[in-house]
Amino acid sequence: MKKSFTMRLLCLVVLMTILINMPVTSAQGIDATTTGSPSDASISEPTSAPSPPLQTSLPTAESLTNGDQQQQQQQSNDAAAAEKREPYIALHTRVELEMMRHMCGPQMEMNLTKIFHMVDEFIGNYNKNATKEKHVERMFMAVSRKGMEEALGKNKTVHERLANENLDTLASRQAQGQDPQSEKSTIVECGEGWMKRWYSSQQQKVDQAKVEDNYYGTLIPMVMNFYIATEAEVFIGTKGSSWSTDVWTTRYYQGKGDRNFKYTKEGIVPIPNGGLPTPHGNC
């Protein structure tokens, strides 16, 4: 459990940092009563302060840590220090139902069981050649669970059956990772799950401006996952994904290009050209 605690704490710290620094759309900020999303409004006059919904709905130190602001800051510092001591691997999969149906889908490996098998083998080989301080025991997984769950209750097509099989595989693997006796790496998801928790917490507030479910769409989950993926010891992305391409490119300019990889139907291979991918195109 300890292996995943610091990873979950990192998710929380990143989420709070993004929310606190979200730009507003005008000097008055986003109207808390608006039914639209931030993208519906003008962004010509941004300010540095959180918008009214965030000013009144960001969790307090007590709600996050059952302590004061100093305790919250200490937990943030502890999380940052723990992440430096405990490297993790980031995996971006495109196994959502819509991608299976996409024109690029046939070129990608869609079976999550096979993907995990490749990653497990990769981690074993990586740890054999890495110093003890660089061993990876945790896996951050960037995936749209909403996209994976679109097939729930359906089982007619090959894609729907595979999507449901992938969900079962992910659930089983996450359970194995929590077993102290298991040698499987711990798997942690951040973006969508943590935003769902945050939206839920807003509905419980009384006499305060509330943020509607999915108010920020996919923006914040994507930013959360992007940051965590760029900070990973190793990043394994998906060929044909613009998101993976952006992560590879960012990591290359951060000096991490030698730890950029992609999974294919044949296995996991390094990104050529020192880790700098070619510009994203169709598939």
Side-chain angles (χ1 to χ4, degrees), residues 53-209:
L54 293 183
Q55 291 172 343
T56 57
S57 62
L58 281 173
T60 63
E62 288 76 15
S63 67
L64 289 175
T65 66
N66 294 320
D68 57 20
Q69 186 67 34
Q70 185 176 4
Q71 289 174 317
Q72 181 186 357
Q73 184 61 51
Q74 184 61 50
Q75 281 201 342
S76 298
N77 293 341
D78 290 345
E83 293 312 313
K84 291 181 180 179
R85 294 193 304 269
E86 301 178 18
Y88 59 92
I89 190 170
L91 171 67
H92 175 221
T93 61
R94 286 308 317 265
V95 294
E96 300 85 2
L97 185 59
E98 57 87 14
M99 180 51 68
M100 292 182 185
R101 296 167 173 166
H102 193 275
M103 60 180 291
C104 300
Q107 300 182 27
M108 300 178 179
E109 178 55 66
M110 293 292 179
N111 189 305
L112 198 54
T113 300
K114 293 181 180 179
I115 295 172
F116 282 153
H117 177 76
M118 290 188 287
V119 173
D120 287 339
E121 185 177 12
F122 175 91
I123 291 176
N125 292 331
Y126 183 86
N127 286 343
K128 286 180 182 178
N129 299 315
T131 62
K132 186 175 181 180
E133 293 74 18
K134 294 294 184 180
H135 279 199
V136 290
E137 296 181 348
R138 297 168 300 158
M139 185 193 308
F140 162 67
M141 184 172 173
V143 66
S144 172
R145 183 171 280 269
K146 289 182 180 178
M148 293 182 67
E149 293 175 346
E150 285 183 15
L152 285 175
K154 306 173 185 177
N155 205 36
K156 293 182 179 180
T157 69
V158 173
H159 291 155
E160 290 170 350
R161 288 192 290 272
L162 179 57
N164 284 311
E165 178 185 321
N166 285 342
L167 278 171
D168 291 340
T169 297
L170 180 56
S172 175
R173 179 53 188 270
Q174 287 177 325
Q176 289 177 0
Q178 297 301 321
D179 182 356
Q181 305 301 319
S182 174
E183 295 183 357
K184 302 292 187 181
S185 55
T186 302
I187 295 180
V188 176
E189 299 170 73
C190 286
E192 287 182 351
W194 280 90
M195 279 305 296
K196 185 176 181 179
R197 296 183 192 183
W198 184 75
Y199 284 129
S200 177
S201 72
Q202 305 315 299
Q203 304 311 310
Q204 300 173 15
K205 294 184 178 296
V206 180
D207 298 328
Q208 293 185 17

